[in-house]
Structures are given as C-alpha cells and as structure tokens.
Amino acid sequence: MRRTVLILAGVVGLAAPLVAGPAAAEDWSVDLGAAGRMRPTHLGAPDYTFDVVPIVEAEYGSRVKVSLDDGLKWAAFRTGPVDAGPIVEYRQSFDDHLPPGAFRMHDAVEVGGFTSVKTPIGVGEIRLRHAIGSYDGWSGDLSFDTGAPITPKLTIAGQARLSWADSNFTQEYFGLRPHAARSFGLPRFLDEDYLTAGAEVDVLRDISPKTRLVLALTGDRIVSELQPSPLFKTRDIFTASLGVTYHWSPSGHPK
C-alpha cells in the first residue's frame, strides 16, 4: 500500500507543472514529510491500529495544488472568488482485521471536478468524483475550510464537511459475500448509500524556518441508515496523526 501511495505522489507531482503551463520561477512550493497515525482497523470497527504515512503538499502557480490528503486540483476556471476545475484523488482503503466473508476493497483513484468559493472567513467547496476500478462508483463532498495564525509560528485550521458515496461503496466496505450473508442471516447493503458528517482540526507549529510540526485530528459520524453487520459495529470514525514536514520554495518559508 505504501508503495502505491509513493508512486501516486510522484505521478501527480510530476503532472502538476505540465497541467499548469508556464509559471513564474519563484511561484512554487513543496512540503514533504511523514506522520504517525492512529486510525480504525476498518470503517465501522471499534478497534484502532497505528501506521506511518507520507505527507506530500505542493503548489505550482496559483492554480495547481497537489496533496495526498486533498488530491491533485487544477483551478482551470476562475472568476472573482469562484474557482472550478478537474480533480484527481487517492482514497486509501482501511481493511485490517476484517471478519471472514468480508470483501477486501482495493485503494481507489477517483476522478471528477470541484467548485470552490472564497469568503472573508474561509473557503466553501463541492466535489463530485468517480472511482476508477475499486468500488467503481460515485462520491462527493461538501466542505468549509477556515483557519488563521495564532502566533507568528502557530496556525490553527479547521474543516466541517459532509461526505457521500453511492451504494457501490457501501457494498464493498460493509457488504458480505453471498455465502457469508446467508450464514449471518443479514442483508448485503445492496441499495444503501454511504453518508458521513464530520470535522477536522489541524495545528501547525513552525520548529525552524523550513520545518513544521503538524497535528491533525478528525472525527466523522456515519449518518446513513446502515443495518447491523459483523463489519459495522460503530458509527464513529476518528483519526489522529502527528508528523513533521520540510519545506522547499524560492522564499524558503512555509505559507
């Protein structure tokens, strides 16, 4: 899985300048690092596990942004406070400690579009994507991001969001193979969409001119009406990560 993440990061990182076209020599930045993360063993599981994940953040000009968390975004259309354009995202599958009979969903690359609106207090955004392979379905997000520096070296940011995926996603993550569904006497979630409401808080602390400590806390609640299953034992999804990044740019300082 980590090899897949690193390959994807390299691909989107190399693609960004090609998509964006010419930009001023000083108009770019790259932040690379790693974080330790606590996460559920799989969606719907009450048990947690620890892993280490890469951090990749890059910008090219004012229109292209690359992030393992946020995808590759190109603001191809811009008018006033509104940006719109294509987006490519990587969705990691949590599939540790699955019970017998469960599907093992592969990581997904999702392709679609976004529209964002800047306001005086933050940025609202809507996304719609389709998975290539994996669960082969549609997903979308409605979010609002905000944040501000607290001190010259400390910044706090936050996000509120609604996330949706169609019944293909629900079947892959929470469904059981036919023989397992029969043995448990439970439905296979064939027609139920997946909907969550959640929030994220990020704390960024500069520890040198180019090095930054990053703490991220997320909490999401599954609000769709999924029925009980050996795979679905809790509606709450929490993650916590703590990492360090190193910054490259002509100015030499993170934004």
Side-chain angles (χ1 to χ4, degrees):
M1 186 278 293
R2 291 174 187 167
R3 183 180 178 185
T4 302
V5 172
L6 293 173
I7 291 172
L8 179 65
V11 170
V12 297
L14 291 173
L18 299 177
V19 174
E26 69 276 357
D27 202 10
W28 61 270
S29 67
V30 176
D31 292 87
L32 299 178
R37 178 179 64 176
M38 290 296 298
R39 63 164 177 85
T41 54
H42 59 80
L43 295 185
D47 302 318
Y48 282 72
T49 188
F50 176 84
D51 58 11
V52 177
V53 293
I55 300 173
V56 178
E57 303 279 349
E59 294 187 16
Y60 188 80
S62 63
R63 293 178 180 262
V64 175
K65 296 183 179 181
V66 182
S67 167
L68 282 181
D69 288 333
D70 207 38
L72 167 60
K73 296 171 60 178
W74 175 30
F77 308 99
R78 175 170 289 169
T79 176
V82 179
D83 285 352
I87 188 168
V88 180
E89 291 190 58
Y90 171 75
R91 184 191 290 267
Q92 182 186 356
S93 174
F94 295 168
D95 56 10
D96 298 296
H97 304 162
L98 292 173
F103 290 109
R104 184 171 296 275
M105 195 174 95
H106 298 293
D107 296 352
V109 174
E110 302 180 343
V111 179
F114 77 95
T115 299
S116 64
V117 180
K118 295 179 182 178
T119 75
I121 60 171
V123 179
E125 184 174 275
I126 187 169
R127 302 182 180 193
L128 183 65
R129 307 166 299 263
H130 189 270
I132 300 174
S134 186
Y135 68 96
D136 193 29
W138 289 91
S139 67
D141 299 283
L142 179 63
S143 64
F144 186 82
D145 293 87
T146 188
I150 305 303
T151 72
K153 294 185 176 182
L154 179 66
T155 298
I156 296 181
Q159 181 188 78
R161 59 178 175 248
L162 287 173
S163 299
W164 162 84
D166 66 16
S167 58
N168 284 10
F169 180 90
T170 310
Q171 173 59 30
E172 288 293 309
Y173 253 120
F174 300 107
L176 298 168
R177 298 188 187 280
H179 71 277
R182 287 194 298 270
S183 65
F184 283 111
L186 296 170
R188 296 180 59 212
F189 303 115
L190 289 177
D191 300 313
E192 296 186 58
D193 288 358
Y194 178 77
L195 182 65
T196 64
E200 177 174 344
V201 175
D202 299 313
V203 181
L204 301 87
R205 175 67 163 81
D206 293 341
I207 54 180
S208 80
K210 292 188 177 183
T211 309
R212 176 174 282 177
L213 192 67
V214 181
L215 171 67
L217 304 172
T218 73
D220 293 273
R221 174 79 174 175
I222 300 172
V223 296
S224 45
E225 295 182 4
L226 301 181
Q227 300 181 49
S229 159
L231 283 154
F232 181 53
K233 296 183 178 180
T234 178
R235 292 182 174 273
D236 297 316
I237 306 167
F238 298 106
T239 68
S241 64
L242 180 64
V244 176
T245 63
Y246 189 84
H247 179 82
W248 289 270
S249 70
S251 69
H253 300 284
K255 292 184 178 180

